């Protein structure tokens, strides 16, 4: 019985130490030919925080560059998906992709600079 208690105590202590340290892990997002990395907490949710949003903005900017160069609708579709993901973009998501990409610097902005 004491042996089980010791093992449980060690596991609990390791969990608590790991929880307080809470290291970040890098996660890669890839859409079409564009990719970006962001850091998230081991115990955090996947789509939580500024890092995820900023990575998606990098991808959207990259997709706009590719769309502008090729006019391929697959890039426009992915840009639309990113706009739909963030409620703050309700007012522009129905604009033509050409206009969105022309103003990419002001549309796809970071929420927080790290």
């Amino acid at each position: 019985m004491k042996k089980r208690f010791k093992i449980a105590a060690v596991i609990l202590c390791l969990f608590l130490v790991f929880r307080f340290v809470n290291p970040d892990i890098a996660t890669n997002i890839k859409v079409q030919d564009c990719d970006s990395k962001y850091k998230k907490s081991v115990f955090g949710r996947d789509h939580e925080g500024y890092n995820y949003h900023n990575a998606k903005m990098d991808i959207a900017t990259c997709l706009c560059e590719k769309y502008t160069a090729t006019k391929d609708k697959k890039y426009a579709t992915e840009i639309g998906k990113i706009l739909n993901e963030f409620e703050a973009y309700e007012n522009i998501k129905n604009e033509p992709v050409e206009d969105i990409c022309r103003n990419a610097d002001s549309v796809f902005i970071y929420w927080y600079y790290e």
Side-chain angles (χ1 to χ4, degrees), residues 18 29 43 49-50 62 67 71 84-85 103-104 106-107 109 112:
F18 193 69
I29 304 173
F43 294 101
Y50 299 120
C62 173
Y67 177 79
K71 300 295 185 208
N84 283 331
E85 187 173 346
N103 301 315
S106 61
V107 172
I109 57 174
Y112 176 78

Side-chain angles (χ1 to χ4, degrees), residues 20-65:
F20 287 121
V21 172
N22 201 7
D24 289 337
I25 56 172
T27 303
N28 192 35
I29 304 173
K30 184 169 176 77
V31 178
Q32 297 293 336
D33 308 343
C34 302
D35 64 343
S36 185
K37 287 186 179 184
Y38 72 98
K39 291 182 180 181
K40 69 174 192 136
S41 165
V42 170
F43 294 101
R45 294 181 300 224
D46 258 349
H47 303 88
E48 173 179 65
Y50 299 120
N51 292 333
Y52 174 76
H53 176 272
N54 293 348
K56 288 296 253 194
M57 295 302 104
D58 288 341
I59 288 175
T61 301
C62 173
L63 290 170
C64 272
E65 291 170 1

